[in-house]
Amino acid sequence: MACAEQKIPGTAGRRRLTALVAAAGLGTLVLTGCGGQSGGSNAAASSPEAGAGGGDKTLRVSAAASLTQSFDQLAEEFEKDHPGVSVDVNYGGSSGLVQQLTEGAPADVFASADQKNMTKLTDADLAQGEPKIFATNVLTLVVPKDNPAGIRSVQDVLGKNVKLVTCAPEVPCGAATQKVEQANGVELAPVSQENAVTDVLGKVTSGQADAGIVYVTDAKAAGDKVTTIEIPKTDEAINTYPIVALKASEQPELATEFVDLVTGERGQKVLQDAGFGAP
């Protein structure tokens, strides 16, 4: 299987590693055996002192895919506050990230899109201290800007000819989708279920899907590439986001400071500007 790593435009040393590989049980391989395909990730994997962006130290953060925009911004702010430090963020579905971490993938901080996957991490005795809730999020329906299927409500996606994409049940956005289904008394029939909410959004913006169920923050980040359609009763499926420093961190002080940034006033402003709810 090819290594699933790509650079994110506009960031220095940021990585997006898909949870699909981790879900197949190869999370550790992605971070070690495949690191040589990218100079930044290989250096970070081999030496904690070699920053992916050229810094003297690297802080590794594993974060839910829905946090990409916000954590990219916070990572840049953290680097400005800490000269010589590079923040290397590994984005993906929370379930896949936990699998990577329990299999020994190096990281200093973990931010999950739900409590369930954070509990898996704490049960494995990987957390340093108690996780802190730093944000909330809810789902919405998105369609391509031109809305070729003419979708106006969640009822419209029940048709057999509609290509609906959702998250897989094992990731937080998928579990929340199931709760919304139950609350609205509907049974969705997605043509595919993705391992990260960003993959759902990507299929909608690229025209591969007629509709997708994503977080309101992802819809906001997509801007005019999508049209947002409200789903009733999403307040019955609110996701809470916890964050924690990890016991195995090789940069424990920096890890604690990053958690403080996310949960503090500056971090909360960035998150709420992105559409996240308050903790």
Side-chain angles (χ1 to χ4, degrees):
M1 180 180 293
C3 301
E5 178 170 336
Q6 65 185 65
K7 293 290 183 180
I8 303 174
T11 63
R14 266 359 132 232
R15 290 179 299 145
R16 175 179 295 172
L17 301 183
T18 65
L20 179 59
V21 176
L26 298 176
T28 304
L29 177 61
V30 172
L31 291 175
T32 56
C34 297
Q37 293 192 8
S38 170
S41 62
N42 186 52
S46 61
S47 171
E49 299 300 315
D56 298 323
K57 296 181 179 180
T58 297
L59 181 72
R60 299 182 181 90
V61 179
S62 288
S66 51
L67 293 166
T68 300
Q69 183 183 48
S70 299
F71 270 37
D72 278 353
Q73 182 176 342
L74 290 173
E76 290 178 3
E77 291 190 14
F78 193 84
E79 289 174 344
K80 290 178 182 177
D81 293 342
H82 298 78
V85 174
S86 293
V87 181
D88 188 7
V89 189
N90 175 21
Y91 297 109
S94 298
S95 59
L97 295 175
V98 169
Q99 182 173 344
Q100 290 179 7
L101 295 172
T102 56
E103 290 177 353
D108 303 291
V109 176
F110 174 54
S112 175
D114 67 349
Q115 291 276 22
K116 179 180 177 180
N117 283 291
M118 181 60 77
T119 298
K120 291 180 182 178
L121 183 102
T122 56
D123 286 349
D125 198 27
L126 299 180
Q128 181 64 51
E130 290 295 321
K132 298 179 180 179
I133 302 299
F134 65 93
T136 58
N137 214 347
V138 294
L139 298 174
T140 190
L141 184 69
V142 292
V143 299
K145 183 178 180 180
D146 56 354
N147 195 8
I151 295 169
R152 297 288 180 266
S153 72
V154 69
Q155 294 293 330
D156 293 338
V157 304
L158 304 179
K160 294 182 179 180
N161 295 325
V162 174
K163 292 182 289 185
L164 171 68
V165 179
T166 66
C167 290
E170 61 269 19
V171 295
C173 57
T177 298
Q178 290 183 325
K179 292 180 182 178
V180 169
E181 282 185 81
Q182 296 169 0
N184 286 281
V186 299
E187 185 174 348
L188 303 175
V191 296
S192 72
Q193 295 179 313
E194 306 299 322
N195 287 306
V197 67
T198 46
D199 295 333
V200 176
L201 184 65
K203 287 201 169 184
V204 174
T205 57
S206 66
Q208 297 178 65
D210 297 321
I213 295 179
V214 301
Y215 292 118
V216 293
T217 51
D218 296 286
K220 183 173 182 179
D224 60 6
K225 293 180 181 178
V226 299
T227 297
T228 302
I229 299 170
E230 185 177 351
I231 302 175
K233 301 183 179 180
T234 54
D235 58 345
E236 297 186 26
I238 297 175
N239 275 28
T240 56
Y241 286 60
I243 187 171
V244 73
L246 300 178
K247 277 187 177 180
S249 172
E250 296 179 351
Q251 307 292 347
E253 292 184 3
L254 291 175
T256 298
E257 290 180 26
F258 188 83
V259 171
D260 290 343
L261 173 63
V262 172
T263 57
E265 184 177 345
R266 290 168 62 192
Q268 290 300 294
K269 184 179 187 309
V270 169
L271 289 158
Q272 290 171 27
D273 285 349
F276 287 94

